[in-house]
């Protein structure tokens, strides 16, 4: 068994280190975040860091690096207060990955990567028409991680759109039936298959 | 397509709402967090919220509900400053899920759920011997999400242990080869299969 420690980390080549520590956290969610600035320019970017914050009331979080392509997402969220989270499905992983490219601010990844903007019930941020599970959120709060200047962005779920056949009687959404994918690291997309479902655990 | 909005959320039965919004974020990582208090009592708890914060230097985060069984994890981290994150693999999902039961403070989930504590290179927090990918961390900072009193806990990776055959030449860890699983919601465990691996995307 290999032992990685502070000394071996210091000696790592930078891309090697990025790949290693981007895969070591386990599988990640795959979501496209859609935004629009005040002038109406839209932005779409893939995020692998969407995380559950709470169910009642419903909140979701995601981690944002302030100095990368994702800052358009941040600027638009701060400017308008609204954004959408849209699941990435098996059918369009290649297009979804392409949204991670560093497009200029005036280029919409919707158009550049082949997604259709969808506006639903007067919500101002664009949903992804191709996505089967879409969520409309309002910015709630942000937290600066001092260690490396990343941000935790927390939003309140205002709307959700999905086929009601995907929801079972207990409220669970079948992500496998929706064809939602998982991500490992920065580049690999996976299709999860159900192993088992357990009950609420008691001692 | 079903439209869920603020009014329909308010009318939802509480378990239904919990299941719905615990599955809507997409697939999640599956990790066991190991801790020990100052008196030497150990604790082990499953978390589905471990998230990548940074690679260089390496940081991981996770979301913690302050009022649930997981508070033993929090108390021990604050008391000692150290903890371990250990991947959950296909072979032991049932045992791993069992650690989510609300055991009393003086009961170690290692013993109660059938895991072996492992102490490596003088690191004071217990690793999970059965896990193929294990990470030793030092508490770095915490952020209170005001919306619902959850906490983001950020730790610095000090050590990692894994079979070097799991690491490819570019630093990527093969989670599928390790048998690491993903989680959907609170109860379902899945085995992800690789669909495709892309390159760094350019416009």
């Amino acid at each position: 068994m290999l032992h990685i420690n502070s000394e071996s980390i210091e000696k790592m080549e930078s891309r090697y280190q990025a790949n290693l520590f981007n895969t070591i956290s386990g599988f990640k969610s795959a979501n496209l975040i859609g935004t629009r600035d005040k002038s109406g320019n839209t932005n779409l970017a893939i995020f692998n860091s969407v995380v559950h914050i709470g169910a009642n009331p419903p909140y979701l979080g995601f981690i944002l690096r302030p100095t990368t392509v994702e800052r358009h997402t941040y600027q638009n969220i701060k400017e308008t207060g609204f954004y959408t989270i849209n699941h990435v499905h098996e059918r369009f992983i290649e297009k979804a990955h392409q949204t991670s490219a560093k497009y200029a601010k005036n280029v919409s990844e919707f158009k550049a990567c082949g997604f259709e903007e969808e506006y639903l019930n007067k919500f101002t941020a664009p949903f992804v028409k191709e996505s089967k599970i879409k969520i409309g959120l309002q910015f709630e709060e942000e937290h600066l991680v001092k260690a490396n200047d990343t941000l935790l962005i927390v939003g309140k779920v205002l709307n959700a759109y999905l086929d009601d056949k995907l929801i079972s009687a207990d409220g669970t959404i079948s992500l496998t039936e929706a064809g939602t994918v998982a991500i490992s690291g920065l580049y690999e997309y996976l299709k999860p298959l159900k192993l088992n479902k357990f009950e609420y655990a008691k001692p």
Side-chain angles (χ1 to χ4, degrees), chain A:
Chain A
M1 188 158 274
L2 176 69
H3 177 205
I4 293 165
N5 60 20
S6 306
E7 291 91 67
S8 54
I9 292 171
E10 267 188 26
K11 287 181 198 144
M12 280 179 190
E13 185 271 321
S14 150
R15 282 315 301 167
Y16 184 97
Q17 183 169 344
N19 285 326
L20 184 76
F21 289 109
N22 269 286
T23 43
I24 209 165
S25 58
F27 292 105
K28 314 180 197 191
S29 55
N31 287 289
L32 288 164
I33 297 189
T35 54
R36 188 162 68 156
D37 70 13
K38 273 193 285 193
S39 315
N41 300 306
T42 59
N43 190 271
L44 189 67
I46 191 159
F47 280 83
N48 60 26
S49 61
V50 171
V51 64
H52 174 81
I53 298 286
N56 187 358
Y59 293 105
L60 294 175
F62 69 96
I63 303 292
L64 196 141
R65 289 180 293 160
T67 53
T68 66
V69 64
E70 295 143 3
R71 77 190 139 185
H72 301 157
T73 300
Y74 179 66
Q75 286 163 1
N76 293 348
I77 290 175
K78 294 305 294 276
E79 203 170 295
T80 66
F82 297 97
Y83 56 108
T84 70
I85 293 180
N86 309 269
H87 281 214
V88 174
H89 306 299
E90 195 177 345
R91 290 172 290 116
F92 57 75
I93 53 174
E94 191 158 5
K95 278 162 50 170
H97 184 69
Q98 185 58 32
T99 65
S100 65
K102 289 179 185 168
Y103 291 101
K105 177 88 173 90
N106 63 344
V107 174
S108 171
E109 292 83 2
F110 277 98
K111 192 171 256 184
C113 305
F115 289 102
E116 194 174 335
E117 298 175 17
E118 186 176 38
Y119 294 95
L120 297 168
N121 291 301
K122 294 182 182 166
F123 195 74
T124 54
F127 291 97
V128 174
K129 192 172 173 66
E130 291 81 354
S131 181
K132 287 184 176 179
I133 299 173
K134 15 197 169 209
I135 311 159
L137 300 102
Q138 179 165 26
F139 172 76
E140 179 85 19
E141 57 188 273
E142 65 182 301
H143 297 271
L144 180 68
V145 175
K146 293 170 201 77
N148 67 353
D149 289 341
T150 54
L151 286 162
L152 169 68
I153 306 292
V154 177
K156 185 170 186 174
V157 176
L158 299 185
N159 298 285
Y161 296 90
L162 70 169
D163 187 336
D164 53 10
K165 287 186 211 127
L166 295 174
I167 309 177
S168 64
D170 71 355
T172 304
I173 302 167
S174 175
L175 303 181
T176 46
E177 211 173 310
T180 298
V181 298
I183 294 180
S184 175
L186 297 168
Y187 307 111
E188 190 174 316
Y189 293 74
L190 306 99
K191 176 195 181 79
L193 300 178
K194 181 175 168 179
L195 289 169
N196 213 335
K197 188 174 179 180
F198 301 113
E199 304 285 320
Y200 180 83
K202 289 172 188 167

